[in-house]
Amino acid sequence: MSLRDRKILTFDVVGTLIDFEAGLIAYFRPIVAAAGLDIDDATILTSFATAEDEQHHLTPGIPFTAMLPAIYRTMAAKHGLPADDKHVEGLRLSMEFWPAFPDSIEGMKALRKRFRLVALTNADNWALAHFARTLEEHNRNVARWRRIEEARQQVRDAAAASGVAVPEGAVPAQVAASRMSALFGRMS
């Protein structure tokens, strides 16, 4: 049966819409540095995956969010990381800041034209609420970026029509300021 024959598409939220790897790295890097350790990102992610797999076997059926303290303790013991309550609970709390993948919103919009989408997660409602907020914020940021890019293009078009060169990556305010400076000289 091909994908074209499917009407419903299911997917996990964490790892599909939410970039948990980036979130983990952002959480662990400062802890590793403060501990004076030299642990690279790949090792952090591999260690997390191993500890998570172990925890799934020890406590099947509990939410991912509830597993995080035990996962952190396992990693702390293996790598010599601090294992106080602040750091242990901090891993779970860091979920609030795990970013969305850049293409999450656009991908979901494209897929929902063809499929009924069903998001699944073994995280709890607390985490899911934060992930929803992350995706909403991401969507607002993408819309803001598109408006900026549209304004940049309008400035480039207007500048090209008047024979003014626009530096690559310049935002409209920068272009306007440099253009005014070129036309009127520095005001000092």
Side-chain angles (χ1 to χ4, degrees), residues 89-150:
E89 179 64 5
L91 178 56
R92 183 185 72 82
L93 295 175
S94 76
M95 293 175 81
E96 178 178 354
F97 306 103
W98 292 2
F101 283 107
D103 61 352
S104 292
I105 300 296
E106 291 302 314
M108 292 295 99
K109 285 180 179 179
L111 289 170
R112 80 173 178 205
K113 291 176 184 174
R114 184 174 182 97
F115 301 100
R116 180 169 182 214
L117 302 177
V118 179
L120 304 172
T121 187
N122 62 340
D124 59 18
N125 288 337
W126 175 86
L128 196 55
H130 286 294
F131 296 152
R133 192 175 73 228
T134 296
L135 288 165
E136 289 166 0
E137 181 180 321
H138 174 72
N139 197 32
R140 284 190 304 273
N141 289 338
V142 167
R144 189 176 305 124
W145 177 82
R146 285 193 176 130
R147 286 191 304 273
I148 290 169
E149 285 301 307
E150 184 178 299

Side-chain angles (χ1 to χ4, degrees), residues 40-98:
D40 64 26
D41 294 351
T43 301
I44 290 171
L45 295 175
T46 301
S47 181
F48 182 88
T50 301
E52 180 187 11
D53 183 61
E54 182 180 302
Q55 196 58 40
H56 276 295
H57 285 91
L58 292 172
T59 56
I62 72 166
F64 173 71
T65 315
M67 291 181 184
L68 291 174
I71 292 170
Y72 182 91
R73 285 187 193 96
T74 299
M75 291 177 67
K78 179 176 181 176
H79 297 290
L81 300 172
D84 56 274
D85 290 343
K86 173 186 161 193
H87 288 92
V88 170
E89 179 64 5
L91 178 56
R92 183 185 72 82
L93 295 175
S94 76
M95 293 175 81
E96 178 178 354
F97 306 103
W98 292 2

